[in-house]
Amino acid sequence: LIRVGESYYFRRTIGLSGAEVYVSTVQAHADGRPDQASTVHVAMSVRAPDGRPFGIAVIDFDLAPEFDRLRADTAEGVQTLVANGAGDYLVHPDRSRELASATGARARVQDDFQGFDEALAADPALKSNIFRDRNGAWFGVGWAPVRLAGGPGLTILVTAAYSSLDLGLAAVNSSAQ
């Protein structure tokens, strides 16, 4: 057992009822440990026989193997990205852009694809669209929201340059003639 009384997840969990579960966001350098940069804490309050808070039970899930699998399974010419609820990248081909907000920098989906937030606000059911990136190039972007054990949401995005989408459509059109 370790003492975690000063940690953010302890403070958020200790007051929960016996049936409630706390699920943290994916943290950059959780508890100051760089080896825990992709950890999610799942915690429950543990009560003494008289019902008073006694402590918490925590299971830490390291998402790094899953993030690495996403990176490895991405086809050529396609980018697989994962963003947290604020749009900060958790998975990006440029690893320096992952969780950049922890260092005070910004690297978010909304900053890279003009109109992304507006498109979601206009149609929350929308799961794909064409956007300009920050350099003005067109990209096809598809995405799916994912909930971590009923806790915070993540968004998995797949992007491809519009020109590669156009080539696929041109091939379909030419074979149909």
Side-chain angles (χ1 to χ4, degrees):
L1 297 175
I2 59 173
R3 291 187 179 269
V4 294
E6 297 303 315
S7 68
Y8 68 91
Y9 57 88
F10 179 85
R11 291 189 303 272
R12 292 199 177 146
T13 304
I14 194 66
L16 297 178
S17 73
E20 293 178 294
V21 175
Y22 170 76
V23 181
S24 75
T25 59
V26 177
Q27 296 295 313
H29 310 295
D31 296 336
R33 295 167 37 197
D35 61 318
Q36 299 285 309
S38 55
T39 297
V40 173
H41 305 289
V42 179
M44 291 182 65
S45 177
V46 176
R47 302 288 173 169
D50 65 1
R52 293 186 327 201
F54 173 74
I56 67 170
V58 180
I59 299 174
D60 292 337
F61 291 96
D62 181 9
L63 297 178
E66 294 305 315
F67 289 169
D68 289 341
R69 188 176 60 79
L70 280 174
R71 285 183 191 92
D73 290 346
T74 299
E76 187 175 330
V78 174
Q79 290 184 347
T80 300
L81 311 166
V82 178
N84 63 18
D88 296 311
Y89 291 115
L90 303 174
V91 173
H92 191 281
D94 177 356
R95 304 282 296 260
S96 71
R97 300 191 74 210
E98 294 177 0
L99 291 166
S101 63
T103 64
R106 285 184 68 154
R108 302 178 321 141
V109 174
Q110 306 90 307
D111 300 329
D112 286 346
F113 295 105
Q114 300 169 17
F116 187 80
D117 275 347
E118 293 82 0
L120 288 180
D123 184 0
L126 187 66
K127 299 295 184 245
S128 65
N129 208 339
I130 305 296
F131 297 100
R132 283 189 190 267
D133 74 358
R134 60 189 164 153
N135 298 318
W138 289 100
F139 277 81
V141 181
W143 60 90
V146 177
R147 267 260 168 251
L148 298 175
L154 301 178
T155 302
I156 300 172
L157 303 100
V158 178
T159 71
Y162 184 77
S163 59
S164 67
L165 300 175
D166 191 35
L167 290 175
L169 294 173
V172 170
N173 288 338
S174 66
S175 67
Q177 296 177 3

